[in-house]
Amino acid sequence: MANIKLYDAVRNHDFAENTCFLCGARTGDDDDSKEHVFPKWLLHHFGLWNKRLTLINGTEIPYRMLVIPCCTQCNNTHLSQIENTIRTAFLAGASALRGVDREVLMLWILKIFFGLLYREIFLPMERRDPAAGSIVTTEDMEQYQLLHYILQASRIPIRFSQLESDIPASLFIFELKEPANPNLRFDYKDDVAVNTLYLRMGKVGILAAFDMGAQTFEGSHFFSKYQNHQLHPLQFEELGANLFMKAKKFNRIPKAMIAESPSGIDFQVAPIAGLSTRPVFEKWSSEEMAEMLMFFLGYLREAVMPVEDRLASWLHREDGSFWHMDINVPPWSITSEAS
Ligand SMILES: [Zn+2]
């Protein structure tokens, strides 16, 4: 009988190279006991096996080495089911992925976000000075306790309930134009301070905030305008900057009530706004958004804010209509237009 209780890795600081990240079972040393943070099919599809990802401390690691300890049951039964569902849908395109059960998609993407953090517990902050500690400490992990519980819906029945969102996360899928150059087809960004993730995979773009669904309502309103267009990667980056910025301005700490019973676990998210009348998201200045756009687009200040206090937009023309951007136009030759 499988363990259907929640595994409390975070509270118990139970992280080890031979402990399943998902259920806490001891693992072996074989390949079946390692889960790739970015799934193998994705690495092969985008030629990422030997490419490198930059970690929180600025060091780089090849994607193929991003593995976390995982028991055979979690790996070959629970996670591989999710993997097969997502891979099949991904290959069929953005609209097929939108048709996937949103909880399954959330678990798939949350495993990447959480898995990266998990890997970083075992990597030294300073390669030349192991005594300086790891990139992510066991104390750092405490802020991800609820996310680790949510992730366990991959292996045990968890019933999520809340008023504001169907799932305890905000998740948006976009159809993208794919660059001809295979080296430009994949991009990953996250912000572990505010639990956001940006994933560009060829013709599919996913934005996620692991915020118990706080951005779901307002995001659906804002992002839906762009969900029936094929977006240029630049346009998707601009949307990513919006989601990350909003997460920075989220001024609540979401809470959940968790009740375990023999039939499964009830995970009830408390109303996001709570009893406070303050806005759930604070306003941001164009200065702050300029910084965020520079981070996402890699552009200079003049490009993202050509006129003081007026941000450029790659989504709209001057008249407010959607900008149908040609994928073959190299991004560096696109002149910005103020929105
Ligand atoms: Zn396991």
Side-chain angles (χ1 to χ4, degrees):
M1 179 70 194
N3 176 11
I4 65 152
K5 289 178 80 67
L6 281 172
Y7 160 48
D8 218 343
V10 174
R11 187 176 301 156
N12 302 330
H13 291 184
D14 186 20
F15 308 108
E17 294 272 26
N18 63 352
T19 302
C20 176
F21 81 102
L22 195 55
C23 76
R26 297 291 161 245
T27 64
D29 264 342
D30 53 323
D31 277 355
D32 268 359
S33 306
K34 300 270 180 261
E35 167 77 1
H36 279 80
V37 174
F38 290 89
K40 278 188 274 189
W41 65 264
L42 192 76
L43 299 187
H44 291 303
H45 190 92
F46 290 106
L48 297 169
W49 198 249
N50 293 313
K51 291 238 174 83
R52 288 163 176 272
L53 179 77
T54 305
L55 300 173
I56 298 171
N57 66 341
T59 59
E60 294 184 336
I61 188 169
Y63 278 93
R64 65 165 196 282
M65 287 173 66
L66 287 168
V67 291
I68 47 178
C70 186
C71 75
T72 345
Q73 195 183 13
C74 286
N75 200 345
N76 297 345
T77 309
H78 307 308
L79 294 174
S80 66
Q81 270 176 17
I82 294 174
E83 212 58 72
N84 290 337
T85 305
I86 299 299
R87 186 185 57 212
T88 308
F90 164 78
L91 293 171
S95 57
L97 208 53
R98 270 191 211 127
V100 167
D101 183 332
R102 278 169 45 86
E103 187 179 316
V104 173
L105 184 64
M106 171 188 73
L107 294 172
W108 183 77
I109 209 119
L110 179 55
K111 190 215 75 185
I112 295 176
F113 179 83
F114 188 86
L116 263 177
L117 285 164
Y118 202 95
R119 182 68 256 161
E120 286 168 306
I121 300 171
F122 304 107
L123 297 172
M125 182 61 105
E126 304 275 350
R127 278 195 193 146
R128 271 159 288 152
D129 179 16
S134 54
I135 301 178
V136 171
T137 67
T138 50
E139 287 76 25
D140 292 334
M141 289 307 283
E142 283 171 6
Q143 60 180 302
Y144 307 107
Q145 182 161 45
L146 284 179
L147 295 189
H148 188 242
Y149 289 154
I150 292 172
L151 190 53
Q152 291 181 56
S154 316
R155 63 174 192 91
I156 49 177
I158 300 184
R159 290 176 291 267
F160 296 106
S161 60
Q162 69 186 107
L163 293 170
E164 283 114 324
S165 174
D166 54 338
I167 47 168
S170 305
L171 210 61
F172 307 97
I173 300 172
F174 301 89
E175 193 179 343
L176 308 181
K177 293 176 177 171
E178 187 171 56
N181 180 348
N183 292 321
L184 299 177
R185 287 182 188 161
F186 182 89
D187 192 13
Y188 176 86
K189 290 180 175 69
D190 67 19
D191 185 339
V192 298
V194 294
N195 297 350
T196 47
L197 178 153
Y198 164 99
L199 183 59
R200 183 165 64 80
M201 311 183 285
K203 294 188 176 73
V204 175
I206 302 177
L207 295 178
F210 302 109
D211 59 0
M212 300 293 153
Q215 286 204 45
T216 298
F217 178 74
E218 290 182 55
S220 306
H221 189 68
F222 175 71
F223 293 124
S224 63
K225 288 181 279 186
Y226 308 104
Q227 284 177 315
N228 40 23
H229 292 292
Q230 272 196 327
L231 304 177
H232 189 286
L234 264 177
Q235 298 176 313
F236 181 54
E237 285 177 330
E238 185 176 336
L239 293 178
N242 266 278
L243 179 114
F244 278 46
M245 194 70 224
K246 203 154 186 113
K248 267 183 186 285
K249 294 294 168 181
F250 181 40
N251 63 16
R252 295 293 194 279
I253 295 165
K255 295 186 175 60
M257 296 240 300
I258 299 166
E260 297 184 61
S261 76
S263 66
I265 290 144
D266 284 302
F267 188 105
Q268 192 180 4
V269 179
I272 301 282
L275 298 172
S276 168
T277 51
R278 285 162 61 215
V280 173
F281 298 99
E282 286 164 26
K283 288 199 159 50
W284 58 75
S285 65
S286 37
E287 195 58 49
E288 289 171 300
M289 184 50 101
E291 293 283 329
M292 187 62 88
L293 285 169
M294 286 161 68
F295 163 72
F296 261 89
L297 283 74
Y299 284 1
L300 294 173
R301 220 191 126 74
E302 303 88 271
V304 300
M305 200 194 265
V307 180
E308 197 53 40
D309 251 8
R310 281 188 79 192
L311 293 165
S313 173
W314 287 264
L315 292 162
H316 301 113
R317 297 280 190 187
E318 292 264 4
D319 63 4
S321 63
F322 179 76
W323 188 352
H324 292 276
M325 209 179 263
D326 186 347
I327 186 67
N328 296 314
V329 176
W332 53 87
S333 75
I334 291 172
T335 49
S336 60
E337 295 186 9
S339 58

